[in-house]
Amino acid sequence: MEASTFGSEFVALRVGMEMNEGLRYKLRMMGIPIAGPSNALCDSKSAAGNASLPESQLKKKHLSIACHYARECCAKLAGRIAFEPTEASLAGLCTKVLGWQRRRALCKKLLY
């Protein structure tokens, strides 16, 4: 359980990368070729930046471990971490209360 959004983003990023590696392994075992890394999009600039910059340091041990795991996945080309603004995130359809204009714009992005 995390008290800060920054910590929650890193823990979620680590869990997502673990699930990504598991899925990639299962697909390879079934004989399905995988071309290139998978994309992981964060709506936190600091989490995306710290996960991609090797010189950044974190003070809490569990966040540091999560960050190093995400960097390792990027280094072995299993994943790619990028920033996506909250306004453009399709996850907002399921997780946020949105006005009809914004909901319609996201649905158009999803359907077309």
Side-chain angles (χ1 to χ4, degrees):
M1 176 75 100
E2 287 294 320
S4 68
T5 305
F6 181 75
S8 299
E9 289 280 340
F10 263 121
V11 171
L13 186 59
R14 179 189 52 83
V15 170
M17 287 295 188
E18 287 173 352
M19 294 175 90
N20 176 44
E21 281 204 26
L23 181 61
R24 291 170 70 92
Y25 179 74
K26 286 177 186 173
L27 290 172
R28 282 195 311 266
M29 293 301 291
M30 288 188 270
I32 300 170
I34 300 170
S38 302
N39 293 326
L41 301 173
C42 295
D43 65 348
S44 169
K45 274 190 177 179
S46 57
N50 279 320
S52 59
L53 296 173
E55 62 270 4
S56 65
Q57 295 178 353
L58 299 171
K59 296 187 189 301
K60 293 188 177 180
K61 183 80 171 177
H62 69 288
L63 295 181
S64 182
I65 290 170
C67 182
H68 284 294
Y69 185 80
R71 286 183 198 155
E72 179 185 334
C73 289
C74 292
K76 62 183 177 182
L77 298 177
R80 182 174 37 208
I81 301 167
F83 170 72
E84 181 182 39
T86 305
E87 297 81 32
S89 176
L90 292 175
L93 284 170
C94 301
T95 60
K96 293 181 176 55
V97 177
L98 303 172
W100 68 271
Q101 296 99 341
R102 194 154 154 225
R103 181 171 294 282
R104 185 173 182 179
L106 288 175
C107 285
K108 278 186 175 182
K109 188 177 174 183
L110 181 65
L111 298 174
Y112 300 109

mmCIF file with all atom_site columns, all heavy atoms in Angstrom, residues 10 23 27 42 62-64 79-80 92 96-97 100 108:
data_model
loop_
_atom_site.group_PDB
_atom_site.id
_atom_site.type_symbol
_atom_site.label_atom_id
_atom_site.label_alt_id
_atom_site.label_comp_id
_atom_site.label_asym_id
_atom_site.label_entity_id
_atom_site.label_seq_id
_atom_site.pdbx_PDB_ins_code
_atom_site.Cartn_x
_atom_site.Cartn_y
_atom_site.Cartn_z
_atom_site.occupancy
_atom_site.B_iso_or_equiv
_atom_site.pdbx_formal_charge
_atom_site.auth_seq_id
_atom_site.auth_comp_id
_atom_site.auth_asym_id
_atom_site.auth_atom_id
_atom_site.pdbx_PDB_model_num
ATOM 1   N N   . PHE A 1 10  ? 5.177   3.766   -9.544  1.00 0.00 ? 10  PHE A N   1
ATOM 2   C CA  . PHE A 1 10  ? 6.310   2.857   -9.697  1.00 0.00 ? 10  PHE A CA  1
ATOM 3   C C   . PHE A 1 10  ? 5.937   1.416   -9.402  1.00 0.00 ? 10  PHE A C   1
ATOM 4   O O   . PHE A 1 10  ? 6.363   0.502   -10.103 1.00 0.00 ? 10  PHE A O   1
ATOM 5   C CB  . PHE A 1 10  ? 7.480   3.274   -8.803  1.00 0.00 ? 10  PHE A CB  1
ATOM 6   C CG  . PHE A 1 10  ? 8.496   4.073   -9.530  1.00 0.00 ? 10  PHE A CG  1
ATOM 7   C CD1 . PHE A 1 10  ? 8.819   5.337   -9.110  1.00 0.00 ? 10  PHE A CD1 1
ATOM 8   C CD2 . PHE A 1 10  ? 9.128   3.569   -10.647 1.00 0.00 ? 10  PHE A CD2 1
ATOM 9   C CE1 . PHE A 1 10  ? 9.748   6.097   -9.781  1.00 0.00 ? 10  PHE A CE1 1
ATOM 10  C CE2 . PHE A 1 10  ? 10.064  4.317   -11.333 1.00 0.00 ? 10  PHE A CE2 1
ATOM 11  C CZ  . PHE A 1 10  ? 10.373  5.573   -10.900 1.00 0.00 ? 10  PHE A CZ  1
ATOM 12  N N   . LEU A 1 23  ? 3.635   -12.573 -20.181 1.00 0.00 ? 23  LEU A N   1
ATOM 13  C CA  . LEU A 1 23  ? 2.866   -12.736 -21.402 1.00 0.00 ? 23  LEU A CA  1
ATOM 14  C C   . LEU A 1 23  ? 3.777   -12.966 -22.596 1.00 0.00 ? 23  LEU A C   1
ATOM 15  O O   . LEU A 1 23  ? 3.503   -13.823 -23.445 1.00 0.00 ? 23  LEU A O   1
ATOM 16  C CB  . LEU A 1 23  ? 1.987   -11.505 -21.628 1.00 0.00 ? 23  LEU A CB  1
ATOM 17  C CG  . LEU A 1 23  ? 1.092   -11.532 -22.859 1.00 0.00 ? 23  LEU A CG  1
ATOM 18  C CD1 . LEU A 1 23  ? 0.106   -12.690 -22.790 1.00 0.00 ? 23  LEU A CD1 1
ATOM 19  C CD2 . LEU A 1 23  ? 0.354   -10.219 -22.997 1.00 0.00 ? 23  LEU A CD2 1
ATOM 20  N N   . LEU A 1 27  ? 3.759   -16.328 -24.994 1.00 0.00 ? 27  LEU A N   1
ATOM 21  C CA  . LEU A 1 27  ? 3.593   -16.240 -26.444 1.00 0.00 ? 27  LEU A CA  1
ATOM 22  C C   . LEU A 1 27  ? 4.755   -16.887 -27.183 1.00 0.00 ? 27  LEU A C   1
ATOM 23  O O   . LEU A 1 27  ? 4.558   -17.588 -28.178 1.00 0.00 ? 27  LEU A O   1
ATOM 24  C CB  . LEU A 1 27  ? 3.426   -14.777 -26.872 1.00 0.00 ? 27  LEU A CB  1
ATOM 25  C CG  . LEU A 1 27  ? 2.113   -14.114 -26.464 1.00 0.00 ? 27  LEU A CG  1
ATOM 26  C CD1 . LEU A 1 27  ? 2.158   -12.621 -26.763 1.00 0.00 ? 27  LEU A CD1 1
ATOM 27  C CD2 . LEU A 1 27  ? 0.942   -14.767 -27.161 1.00 0.00 ? 27  LEU A CD2 1
ATOM 28  N N   . CYS A 1 42  ? 2.769   5.953   -18.875 1.00 0.00 ? 42  CYS A N   1
ATOM 29  C CA  . CYS A 1 42  ? 2.526   6.498   -17.531 1.00 0.00 ? 42  CYS A CA  1
ATOM 30  C C   . CYS A 1 42  ? 1.931   7.892   -17.670 1.00 0.00 ? 42  CYS A C   1
ATOM 31  O O   . CYS A 1 42  ? 2.317   8.640   -18.554 1.00 0.00 ? 42  CYS A O   1
ATOM 32  C CB  . CYS A 1 42  ? 3.830   6.617   -16.756 1.00 0.00 ? 42  CYS A CB  1
ATOM 33  S SG  . CYS A 1 42  ? 4.626   5.075   -16.399 1.00 0.00 ? 42  CYS A SG  1
ATOM 34  N N   . HIS A 1 62  ? 12.171  -0.041  -1.690  1.00 0.00 ? 62  HIS A N   1
ATOM 35  C CA  . HIS A 1 62  ? 11.239  -0.776  -2.538  1.00 0.00 ? 62  HIS A CA  1
ATOM 36  C C   . HIS A 1 62  ? 10.947  -0.026  -3.838  1.00 0.00 ? 62  HIS A C   1
ATOM 37  O O   . HIS A 1 62  ? 10.751  -0.646  -4.880  1.00 0.00 ? 62  HIS A O   1
ATOM 38  C CB  . HIS A 1 62  ? 9.947   -1.098  -1.783  1.00 0.00 ? 62  HIS A CB  1
ATOM 39  C CG  . HIS A 1 62  ? 9.096   0.079   -1.467  1.00 0.00 ? 62  HIS A CG  1
ATOM 40  N ND1 . HIS A 1 62  ? 9.435   1.001   -0.504  1.00 0.00 ? 62  HIS A ND1 1
ATOM 41  C CD2 . HIS A 1 62  ? 7.922   0.490   -1.990  1.00 0.00 ? 62  HIS A CD2 1
ATOM 42  C CE1 . HIS A 1 62  ? 8.498   1.925   -0.450  1.00 0.00 ? 62  HIS A CE1 1
ATOM 43  N NE2 . HIS A 1 62  ? 7.569   1.645   -1.333  1.00 0.00 ? 62  HIS A NE2 1
ATOM 44  N N   . LEU A 1 63  ? 10.969  1.299   -3.817  1.00 0.00 ? 63  LEU A N   1
ATOM 45  C CA  . LEU A 1 63  ? 10.789  2.061   -5.047  1.00 0.00 ? 63  LEU A CA  1
ATOM 46  C C   . LEU A 1 63  ? 12.024  1.976   -5.931  1.00 0.00 ? 63  LEU A C   1
ATOM 47  O O   . LEU A 1 63  ? 11.920  1.922   -7.158  1.00 0.00 ? 63  LEU A O   1
ATOM 48  C CB  . LEU A 1 63  ? 10.465  3.520   -4.736  1.00 0.00 ? 63  LEU A CB  1
ATOM 49  C CG  . LEU A 1 63  ? 9.141   3.780   -4.031  1.00 0.00 ? 63  LEU A CG  1
ATOM 50  C CD1 . LEU A 1 63  ? 8.935   5.264   -3.817  1.00 0.00 ? 63  LEU A CD1 1
ATOM 51  C CD2 . LEU A 1 63  ? 7.996   3.178   -4.798  1.00 0.00 ? 63  LEU A CD2 1
ATOM 52  N N   . SER A 1 64  ? 13.186  1.939   -5.304  1.00 0.00 ? 64  SER A N   1
ATOM 53  C CA  . SER A 1 64  ? 14.425  1.783   -6.053  1.00 0.00 ? 64  SER A CA  1
ATOM 54  C C   . SER A 1 64  ? 14.468  0.440   -6.767  1.00 0.00 ? 64  SER A C   1
ATOM 55  O O   . SER A 1 64  ? 14.875  0.349   -7.923  1.00 0.00 ? 64  SER A O   1
ATOM 56  C CB  . SER A 1 64  ? 15.618  1.930   -5.106  1.00 0.00 ? 64  SER A CB  1
ATOM 57  O OG  . SER A 1 64  ? 16.817  1.827   -5.813  1.00 0.00 ? 64  SER A OG  1
ATOM 58  N N   . GLY A 1 79  ? 10.389  -3.866  -22.917 1.00 0.00 ? 79  GLY A N   1
ATOM 59  C CA  . GLY A 1 79  ? 9.396   -2.819  -22.715 1.00 0.00 ? 79  GLY A CA  1
ATOM 60  C C   . GLY A 1 79  ? 9.970   -1.451  -23.007 1.00 0.00 ? 79  GLY A C   1
ATOM 61  O O   . GLY A 1 79  ? 11.183  -1.267  -23.043 1.00 0.00 ? 79  GLY A O   1
ATOM 62  N N   . ARG A 1 80  ? 9.073   -0.510  -23.233 1.00 0.00 ? 80  ARG A N   1
ATOM 63  C CA  . ARG A 1 80  ? 9.466   0.876   -23.478 1.00 0.00 ? 80  ARG A CA  1
ATOM 64  C C   . ARG A 1 80  ? 8.516   1.741   -22.662 1.00 0.00 ? 80  ARG A C   1
ATOM 65  O O   . ARG A 1 80  ? 7.295   1.591   -22.748 1.00 0.00 ? 80  ARG A O   1
ATOM 66  C CB  . ARG A 1 80  ? 9.359   1.166   -24.970 1.00 0.00 ? 80  ARG A CB  1
ATOM 67  C CG  . ARG A 1 80  ? 9.775   2.523   -25.383 1.00 0.00 ? 80  ARG A CG  1
ATOM 68  C CD  . ARG A 1 80  ? 9.773   2.700   -26.877 1.00 0.00 ? 80  ARG A CD  1
ATOM 69  N NE  . ARG A 1 80  ? 8.673   1.986   -27.511 1.00 0.00 ? 80  ARG A NE  1
ATOM 70  C CZ  . ARG A 1 80  ? 8.714   1.519   -28.752 1.00 0.00 ? 80  ARG A CZ  1
ATOM 71  N NH1 . ARG A 1 80  ? 9.789   1.667   -29.470 1.00 0.00 ? 80  ARG A NH1 1
ATOM 72  N NH2 . ARG A 1 80  ? 7.674   0.912   -29.269 1.00 0.00 ? 80  ARG A NH2 1
ATOM 73  N N   . GLY A 1 92  ? -8.836  6.593   -18.820 1.00 0.00 ? 92  GLY A N   1
ATOM 74  C CA  . GLY A 1 92  ? -9.733  7.540   -18.178 1.00 0.00 ? 92  GLY A CA  1
ATOM 75  C C   . GLY A 1 92  ? -11.199 7.218   -18.396 1.00 0.00 ? 92  GLY A C   1
ATOM 76  O O   . GLY A 1 92  ? -12.055 7.589   -17.593 1.00 0.00 ? 92  GLY A O   1
ATOM 77  N N   . LYS A 1 96  ? -12.239 7.497   -14.513 1.00 0.00 ? 96  LYS A N   1
ATOM 78  C CA  . LYS A 1 96  ? -12.480 8.887   -14.130 1.00 0.00 ? 96  LYS A CA  1
ATOM 79  C C   . LYS A 1 96  ? -13.894 9.325   -14.511 1.00 0.00 ? 96  LYS A C   1
ATOM 80  O O   . LYS A 1 96  ? -14.478 8.807   -15.449 1.00 0.00 ? 96  LYS A O   1
ATOM 81  C CB  . LYS A 1 96  ? -11.463 9.802   -14.806 1.00 0.00 ? 96  LYS A CB  1
ATOM 82  C CG  . LYS A 1 96  ? -10.052 9.586   -14.306 1.00 0.00 ? 96  LYS A CG  1
ATOM 83  C CD  . LYS A 1 96  ? -9.109  10.535  -14.985 1.00 0.00 ? 96  LYS A CD  1
ATOM 84  C CE  . LYS A 1 96  ? -7.710  10.445  -14.457 1.00 0.00 ? 96  LYS A CE  1
ATOM 85  N NZ  . LYS A 1 96  ? -7.097  9.174   -14.462 1.00 0.00 ? 96  LYS A NZ  1
ATOM 86  N N   . VAL A 1 97  ? -14.398 10.294  -13.779 1.00 0.00 ? 97  VAL A N   1
ATOM 87  C CA  . VAL A 1 97  ? -15.666 10.925  -14.136 1.00 0.00 ? 97  VAL A CA  1
ATOM 88  C C   . VAL A 1 97  ? -15.337 11.995  -15.173 1.00 0.00 ? 97  VAL A C   1
ATOM 89  O O   . VAL A 1 97  ? -14.580 12.922  -14.901 1.00 0.00 ? 97  VAL A O   1
ATOM 90  C CB  . VAL A 1 97  ? -16.342 11.554  -12.900 1.00 0.00 ? 97  VAL A CB  1
ATOM 91  C CG1 . VAL A 1 97  ? -17.617 12.258  -13.287 1.00 0.00 ? 97  VAL A CG1 1
ATOM 92  C CG2 . VAL A 1 97  ? -16.590 10.496  -11.845 1.00 0.00 ? 97  VAL A CG2 1
ATOM 93  N N   . TRP A 1 100 ? -19.159 14.978  -21.090 1.00 0.00 ? 100 TRP A N   1
ATOM 94  C CA  . TRP A 1 100 ? -19.540 14.279  -22.312 1.00 0.00 ? 100 TRP A CA  1
ATOM 95  C C   . TRP A 1 100 ? -18.620 14.598  -23.479 1.00 0.00 ? 100 TRP A C   1
ATOM 96  O O   . TRP A 1 100 ? -18.383 13.751  -24.329 1.00 0.00 ? 100 TRP A O   1
ATOM 97  C CB  . TRP A 1 100 ? -21.009 14.546  -22.665 1.00 0.00 ? 100 TRP A CB  1
ATOM 98  C CG  . TRP A 1 100 ? -21.304 15.961  -23.086 1.00 0.00 ? 100 TRP A CG  1
ATOM 99  C CD1 . TRP A 1 100 ? -21.646 17.007  -22.293 1.00 0.00 ? 100 TRP A CD1 1
ATOM 100 C CD2 . TRP A 1 100 ? -21.255 16.459  -24.408 1.00 0.00 ? 100 TRP A CD2 1
ATOM 101 N NE1 . TRP A 1 100 ? -21.817 18.137  -23.029 1.00 0.00 ? 100 TRP A NE1 1
ATOM 102 C CE2 . TRP A 1 100 ? -21.592 17.830  -24.355 1.00 0.00 ? 100 TRP A CE2 1
ATOM 103 C CE3 . TRP A 1 100 ? -20.956 15.903  -25.646 1.00 0.00 ? 100 TRP A CE3 1
ATOM 104 C CZ2 . TRP A 1 100 ? -21.630 18.635  -25.480 1.00 0.00 ? 100 TRP A CZ2 1
ATOM 105 C CZ3 . TRP A 1 100 ? -21.007 16.699  -26.769 1.00 0.00 ? 100 TRP A CZ3 1
ATOM 106 C CH2 . TRP A 1 100 ? -21.345 18.059  -26.688 1.00 0.00 ? 100 TRP A CH2 1
ATOM 107 N N   . LYS A 1 108 ? -14.115 8.260   -29.591 1.00 0.00 ? 108 LYS A N   1
ATOM 108 C CA  . LYS A 1 108 ? -13.739 8.361   -31.007 1.00 0.00 ? 108 LYS A CA  1
ATOM 109 C C   . LYS A 1 108 ? -12.334 7.843   -31.235 1.00 0.00 ? 108 LYS A C   1
ATOM 110 O O   . LYS A 1 108 ? -12.057 7.165   -32.217 1.00 0.00 ? 108 LYS A O   1
ATOM 111 C CB  . LYS A 1 108 ? -13.843 9.815   -31.498 1.00 0.00 ? 108 LYS A CB  1
ATOM 112 C CG  . LYS A 1 108 ? -15.229 10.230  -31.875 1.00 0.00 ? 108 LYS A CG  1
ATOM 113 C CD  . LYS A 1 108 ? -15.195 11.616  -32.488 1.00 0.00 ? 108 LYS A CD  1
ATOM 114 C CE  . LYS A 1 108 ? -16.549 11.992  -32.984 1.00 0.00 ? 108 LYS A CE  1
ATOM 115 N NZ  . LYS A 1 108 ? -16.561 13.307  -33.618 1.00 0.00 ? 108 LYS A NZ  1
#
